[in-house]
Amino acid sequence: MKKIAILTFHRALNYGANLQAFALQEIVGTKFEAYILDYRCPAIENFYFKKKSLKDIIKSIVFPRLTKQLRIHKHKFIEFRNMYRLSNVYTPSNIENANLEMDGFIAGSDQIWNPRITDFDYNYFLQFAEKRKRYTYAVSLGKAKITDWDKNKIDILLNDLNNISLREKTSVEMIKSFNSELCAYAVLDPVFLLTKNQWIEKLNLNHTKAQKKYIFVYIVAPHTYAIEKAKAIAKQNSLEICYIDALRYKNSMITNINNAGPIEFLNYLFNAELIITTSFHALAFSLIFNKPFLYELSKEKINANSRLLDLTDIFGIENYQITNVTSEYTNKYDWREINLKIDDMRAKSISLLFDSLKRV
């Protein structure tokens, strides 16, 4: 069986990054010997695993309980990596050796083409791989533009890819605007490639009997109304609020959860009465699990709203955007229509993925 390695942000301490990596490996693994390329990007390593500064040490002394919770949180992410099938370890100095181990490479998903995250690491365009081995799936640029990279170098690297598969329609338009001769297409984020039942079975998710019903809040981008909206709905419906990764927010109505790993994150979402978020992946899993949701877009001038906007446009859920605190919330979702769209796009995305890999 041919060996294919997925190059993504598998070491990021980020729920979406880990869960999409897991999902893509599961799908690719149905037809290939699938691996996660254990690549150590210096920028990613420095961001998540840098040595503690004096300021960090002082914080750990002043806030010992929070420090312990964050240490548990980090350990759970490390444990989750046991669910990956990892390749040998590679760094920028030896990554070309991966060609000896693998028959093909998939760059994707996540914001691997965002130079602000990778510090202009061109390996995420698979420059190290033999040309015949270069493939992509659901790549994202996030807040970046393709022209943020060296234009001449990127033009060559894009032309050398065997396919250009992107997560956002806006990214497809950007690539085509950059070079009209390039063929690029949009596909679903990998988390949608697994069905609701597959997620439940593979990660052993379960319905828990919480002492009190709750709203699940997950914020990754600056918000304006999301927290106040959650508080208003919670008060009106006698619900609690579980706030994941709330390192700084303090309120008597809110339970901060600082130590959840990827599986616990999904379990909290899976058992919630309502999800309120600024996160693409929290919204994606709300759709997959058919959980009521509200989302808010960032008001920042430079933002990553495109990924949320594309998702809401595909599924026709624009009415669930939070634009103020006072508007009435009604739990009316056309889950039948949403599920039909997910099933249709899942089938098309998987078909495009494996059609592109026929040449491996």
Side-chain angles (χ1 to χ4, degrees):
M1 188 176 286
K2 295 290 183 70
K3 295 181 179 180
I4 292 184
I6 299 159
L7 176 57
T8 188
F9 293 153
H10 70 291
R11 285 175 59 79
L13 303 181
N14 175 282
Y15 299 115
N18 280 255
L19 293 167
Q20 63 82 22
F22 172 80
L24 187 53
Q25 184 181 41
E26 288 293 304
I27 291 299
V28 175
T30 61
K31 293 193 177 183
F32 297 91
E33 195 172 317
Y35 294 80
I36 298 294
L37 191 68
D38 200 359
Y39 175 58
R40 309 297 172 90
C41 170
I44 299 295
E45 294 298 305
N46 183 58
F47 184 82
Y48 288 106
F49 305 103
K50 63 182 179 182
K51 292 181 180 180
K52 287 185 178 181
S53 65
L54 178 59
K55 187 177 180 180
D56 293 328
I57 295 171
I58 293 172
K59 279 185 178 180
S60 66
I61 295 171
V62 177
F63 305 107
R65 186 175 180 276
L66 176 59
T67 300
K68 182 180 179 180
Q69 295 298 305
L70 294 179
R71 188 164 58 247
I72 293 170
H73 168 78
K74 183 177 180 179
H75 181 69
K76 287 175 180 176
F77 272 87
I78 294 171
E79 282 187 330
F80 186 77
R81 288 189 211 129
N82 291 329
M83 304 191 75
Y84 299 148
R85 187 176 193 172
L86 292 170
S87 73
N88 291 322
V89 176
Y90 295 103
T91 65
S93 64
N94 72 344
I95 192 169
E96 288 186 1
N97 293 338
N99 284 286
L100 301 175
E101 186 183 2
M102 298 296 164
D103 298 299
F105 301 90
I106 300 173
S109 173
D110 225 329
Q111 299 181 50
I112 60 171
W113 286 358
N114 185 342
R116 298 183 183 92
I117 294 177
T118 67
D119 192 24
F120 294 89
D121 190 335
Y122 287 90
N123 284 317
Y124 287 102
F125 290 87
L126 302 178
Q127 67 170 4
F128 64 88
E130 295 174 29
K131 290 182 182 180
R132 63 184 178 85
K133 297 182 178 182
R134 303 180 188 183
Y135 298 87
T136 65
Y137 183 80
V139 175
S140 176
L141 289 109
K143 299 179 182 180
K145 298 177 181 179
I146 196 66
T147 50
D148 291 340
W149 299 81
D150 181 281
K151 295 180 183 179
N152 293 327
K153 189 168 185 177
I154 284 299
D155 192 35
I156 294 171
L157 288 171
L158 290 174
N159 273 286
D160 285 343
L161 291 168
N162 291 301
N163 74 322
I164 302 177
S165 162
L166 300 154
R167 190 175 66 186
E168 287 88 33
K169 290 185 294 183
T170 47
S171 296
V172 172
E173 293 163 4
M174 192 186 299
I175 294 294
K176 290 181 177 179
S177 177
F178 175 72
N179 185 337
S180 59
E181 294 183 359
L182 292 170
C183 180
Y185 52 90
V187 292
L188 286 177
D189 184 274
V191 298
F192 284 104
L193 302 185
L194 297 179
T195 65
K196 173 183 177 180
N197 287 336
Q198 284 175 321
W199 279 110
I200 293 171
E201 292 168 6
K202 289 178 183 297
L203 297 185
N204 196 28
L205 305 182
N206 54 76
H207 287 290
T208 57
K209 293 183 179 180
Q211 291 183 342
K212 193 172 183 181
K213 294 180 179 181
Y214 62 90
I215 297 172
F216 174 95
V217 177
Y218 182 54
I219 305 297
V220 296
H223 64 91
T224 306
Y225 307 110
I227 301 299
E228 293 305 313
K229 189 74 172 179
K231 288 161 65 176
I233 295 174
K235 186 176 181 180
Q236 185 178 5
N237 295 277
S238 299
L239 299 171
E240 290 190 346
I241 298 173
C242 291
Y243 192 159
I244 301 290
D245 277 353
L247 305 185
R248 300 178 183 85
Y249 200 89
K250 291 187 178 182
N251 186 279
S252 58
M253 292 182 67
I254 294 175
T255 300
N256 294 332
I257 300 167
N258 306 118
N259 64 355
I263 297 175
E264 287 170 296
F265 170 85
L266 278 192
N267 257 324
Y268 274 111
L269 187 149
F270 184 59
N271 287 286
E273 299 299 309
L274 171 68
I275 289 88
I276 292 182
T277 191
T278 62
S279 158
F280 170 88
H281 281 109
L283 181 56
F285 279 110
S286 300
L287 294 167
I288 293 167
F289 293 145
N290 289 182
K291 303 299 295 188
F293 60 85
L294 292 171
Y295 70 93
E296 184 175 0
L297 299 174
S298 171
K299 307 299 187 296
E300 290 184 312
K301 187 174 181 180
I302 300 176
N303 58 63
N305 287 340
S306 62
R307 54 185 181 169
L308 284 166
L309 289 169
D310 281 352
L311 200 59
T312 58
D313 179 57
I314 289 170
F315 295 105
I317 53 175
E318 297 90 343
N319 291 341
Y320 298 99
Q321 180 184 347
I322 300 171
T323 56
N324 59 63
V325 176
T326 57
S327 62
E328 184 180 356
Y329 164 67
T330 55
N331 184 348
K332 294 181 180 180
Y333 300 83
D334 191 346
W335 292 119
R336 180 180 180 278
E337 183 65 22
I338 288 172
N339 290 336
L340 285 173
K341 287 181 179 178
I342 292 176
D343 290 344
D344 179 59
M345 293 196 68
R346 176 188 294 119
K348 289 177 179 177
S349 293
I350 292 175
S351 178
L352 285 167
L353 169 63
F354 287 124
D355 281 349
S356 70
L357 294 173
K358 284 180 179 179
R359 290 169 286 179
V360 173

PDB file of all heavy atoms in Angstrom, residues 82-94:
ATOM      1  N   ASN A  82      -1.167  10.550  20.233  1.00  0.00           N
ATOM      2  CA  ASN A  82      -1.034   9.095  20.156  1.00  0.00           C
ATOM      3  C   ASN A  82      -2.043   8.500  19.173  1.00  0.00           C
ATOM      4  O   ASN A  82      -1.909   7.356  18.752  1.00  0.00           O
ATOM      5  CB  ASN A  82      -1.232   8.464  21.540  1.00  0.00           C
ATOM      6  CG  ASN A  82      -0.097   8.794  22.492  1.00  0.00           C
ATOM      7  OD1 ASN A  82       1.038   8.962  22.078  1.00  0.00           O
ATOM      8  ND2 ASN A  82      -0.410   8.902  23.774  1.00  0.00           N
ATOM      9  N   MET A  83      -3.053   9.296  18.817  1.00  0.00           N
ATOM     10  CA  MET A  83      -4.053   8.835  17.863  1.00  0.00           C
ATOM     11  C   MET A  83      -3.590   9.043  16.425  1.00  0.00           C
ATOM     12  O   MET A  83      -4.227   8.569  15.487  1.00  0.00           O
ATOM     13  CB  MET A  83      -5.382   9.555  18.098  1.00  0.00           C
ATOM     14  CG  MET A  83      -5.911   9.402  19.514  1.00  0.00           C
ATOM     15  SD  MET A  83      -7.611   9.957  19.725  1.00  0.00           S
ATOM     16  CE  MET A  83      -8.489   8.606  18.947  1.00  0.00           C
ATOM     17  N   TYR A  84      -2.493   9.776  16.239  1.00  0.00           N
ATOM     18  CA  TYR A  84      -1.919   9.947  14.914  1.00  0.00           C
ATOM     19  C   TYR A  84      -0.982   8.782  14.595  1.00  0.00           C
ATOM     20  O   TYR A  84      -0.385   8.188  15.494  1.00  0.00           O
ATOM     21  CB  TYR A  84      -1.079  11.228  14.829  1.00  0.00           C
ATOM     22  CG  TYR A  84      -1.784  12.525  15.077  1.00  0.00           C
ATOM     23  CD1 TYR A  84      -1.092  13.585  15.676  1.00  0.00           C
ATOM     24  CD2 TYR A  84      -3.104  12.733  14.715  1.00  0.00           C
ATOM     25  CE1 TYR A  84      -1.710  14.814  15.905  1.00  0.00           C
ATOM     26  CE2 TYR A  84      -3.726  13.947  14.946  1.00  0.00           C
ATOM     27  CZ  TYR A  84      -3.024  14.978  15.543  1.00  0.00           C
ATOM     28  OH  TYR A  84      -3.633  16.192  15.756  1.00  0.00           O
ATOM     29  N   ARG A  85      -0.821   8.536  13.322  1.00  0.00           N
ATOM     30  CA  ARG A  85       0.240   7.647  12.865  1.00  0.00           C
ATOM     31  C   ARG A  85       1.331   8.577  12.344  1.00  0.00           C
ATOM     32  O   ARG A  85       1.214   9.146  11.254  1.00  0.00           O
ATOM     33  CB  ARG A  85      -0.270   6.728  11.755  1.00  0.00           C
ATOM     34  CG  ARG A  85       0.726   5.650  11.344  1.00  0.00           C
ATOM     35  CD  ARG A  85       0.097   4.729  10.309  1.00  0.00           C
ATOM     36  NE  ARG A  85       0.871   3.533  10.104  1.00  0.00           N
ATOM     37  CZ  ARG A  85       0.454   2.510   9.363  1.00  0.00           C
ATOM     38  NH1 ARG A  85      -0.727   2.567   8.771  1.00  0.00           N
ATOM     39  NH2 ARG A  85       1.214   1.449   9.211  1.00  0.00           N
ATOM     40  N   LEU A  86       2.371   8.762  13.131  1.00  0.00           N
ATOM     41  CA  LEU A  86       3.391   9.761  12.821  1.00  0.00           C
ATOM     42  C   LEU A  86       4.540   9.186  11.993  1.00  0.00           C
ATOM     43  O   LEU A  86       4.928   8.030  12.161  1.00  0.00           O
ATOM     44  CB  LEU A  86       3.952  10.358  14.112  1.00  0.00           C
ATOM     45  CG  LEU A  86       2.997  11.222  14.938  1.00  0.00           C
ATOM     46  CD1 LEU A  86       3.616  11.545  16.294  1.00  0.00           C
ATOM     47  CD2 LEU A  86       2.653  12.517  14.209  1.00  0.00           C
ATOM     48  N   SER A  87       5.070  10.029  11.137  1.00  0.00           N
ATOM     49  CA  SER A  87       6.273   9.682  10.381  1.00  0.00           C
ATOM     50  C   SER A  87       7.491   9.870  11.274  1.00  0.00           C
ATOM     51  O   SER A  87       7.356  10.180  12.470  1.00  0.00           O
ATOM     52  CB  SER A  87       6.394  10.606   9.169  1.00  0.00           C
ATOM     53  OG  SER A  87       6.775  11.913   9.596  1.00  0.00           O
ATOM     54  N   ASN A  88       8.660   9.715  10.703  1.00  0.00           N
ATOM     55  CA  ASN A  88       9.873  10.103  11.410  1.00  0.00           C
ATOM     56  C   ASN A  88       9.834  11.605  11.653  1.00  0.00           C
ATOM     57  O   ASN A  88       9.080  12.342  11.012  1.00  0.00           O
ATOM     58  CB  ASN A  88      11.110   9.752  10.580  1.00  0.00           C
ATOM     59  CG  ASN A  88      11.320   8.246  10.476  1.00  0.00           C
ATOM     60  OD1 ASN A  88      11.101   7.522  11.432  1.00  0.00           O
ATOM     61  ND2 ASN A  88      11.726   7.781   9.303  1.00  0.00           N
ATOM     62  N   VAL A  89      10.652  12.083  12.568  1.00  0.00           N
ATOM     63  CA  VAL A  89      10.716  13.518  12.875  1.00  0.00           C
ATOM     64  C   VAL A  89      11.572  14.225  11.826  1.00  0.00           C
ATOM     65  O   VAL A  89      12.662  13.766  11.485  1.00  0.00           O
ATOM     66  CB  VAL A  89      11.306  13.753  14.279  1.00  0.00           C
ATOM     67  CG1 VAL A  89      11.465  15.241  14.546  1.00  0.00           C
ATOM     68  CG2 VAL A  89      10.413  13.108  15.338  1.00  0.00           C
ATOM     69  N   TYR A  90      11.040  15.361  11.328  1.00  0.00           N
ATOM     70  CA  TYR A  90      11.779  16.152  10.341  1.00  0.00           C
ATOM     71  C   TYR A  90      11.822  17.617  10.752  1.00  0.00           C
ATOM     72  O   TYR A  90      10.915  18.128  11.414  1.00  0.00           O
ATOM     73  CB  TYR A  90      11.125  16.026   8.958  1.00  0.00           C
ATOM     74  CG  TYR A  90      11.185  14.630   8.397  1.00  0.00           C
ATOM     75  CD1 TYR A  90      10.061  13.807   8.416  1.00  0.00           C
ATOM     76  CD2 TYR A  90      12.366  14.116   7.870  1.00  0.00           C
ATOM     77  CE1 TYR A  90      10.116  12.516   7.922  1.00  0.00           C
ATOM     78  CE2 TYR A  90      12.435  12.820   7.375  1.00  0.00           C
ATOM     79  CZ  TYR A  90      11.298  12.026   7.401  1.00  0.00           C
ATOM     80  OH  TYR A  90      11.368  10.744   6.912  1.00  0.00           O
ATOM     81  N   THR A  91      12.907  18.267  10.359  1.00  0.00           N
ATOM     82  CA  THR A  91      13.109  19.699  10.574  1.00  0.00           C
ATOM     83  C   THR A  91      13.458  20.309   9.216  1.00  0.00           C
ATOM     84  O   THR A  91      13.662  19.574   8.233  1.00  0.00           O
ATOM     85  CB  THR A  91      14.253  19.950  11.571  1.00  0.00           C
ATOM     86  OG1 THR A  91      15.483  19.485  10.977  1.00  0.00           O
ATOM     87  CG2 THR A  91      14.008  19.231  12.895  1.00  0.00           C
ATOM     88  N   PRO A  92      13.560  21.639   9.118  1.00  0.00           N
ATOM     89  CA  PRO A  92      13.940  22.236   7.835  1.00  0.00           C
ATOM     90  C   PRO A  92      15.261  21.711   7.280  1.00  0.00           C
ATOM     91  O   PRO A  92      15.465  21.694   6.067  1.00  0.00           O
ATOM     92  CB  PRO A  92      14.028  23.732   8.169  1.00  0.00           C
ATOM     93  CG  PRO A  92      13.054  23.920   9.278  1.00  0.00           C
ATOM     94  CD  PRO A  92      13.177  22.678  10.103  1.00  0.00           C
ATOM     95  N   SER A  93      16.142  21.249   8.151  1.00  0.00           N
ATOM     96  CA  SER A  93      17.461  20.808   7.698  1.00  0.00           C
ATOM     97  C   SER A  93      17.469  19.415   7.070  1.00  0.00           C
ATOM     98  O   SER A  93      18.377  19.073   6.306  1.00  0.00           O
ATOM     99  CB  SER A  93      18.459  20.839   8.863  1.00  0.00           C
ATOM    100  OG  SER A  93      18.065  19.912   9.868  1.00  0.00           O
ATOM    101  N   ASN A  94      16.437  18.585   7.388  1.00  0.00           N
ATOM    102  CA  ASN A  94      16.459  17.223   6.848  1.00  0.00           C
ATOM    103  C   ASN A  94      15.150  16.786   6.208  1.00  0.00           C
ATOM    104  O   ASN A  94      14.958  15.616   5.896  1.00  0.00           O
ATOM    105  CB  ASN A  94      16.841  16.225   7.950  1.00  0.00           C
ATOM    106  CG  ASN A  94      15.725  16.028   8.967  1.00  0.00           C
ATOM    107  OD1 ASN A  94      14.802  16.827   9.040  1.00  0.00           O
ATOM    108  ND2 ASN A  94      15.817  14.976   9.755  1.00  0.00           N
TER     109      ASN A  94
END
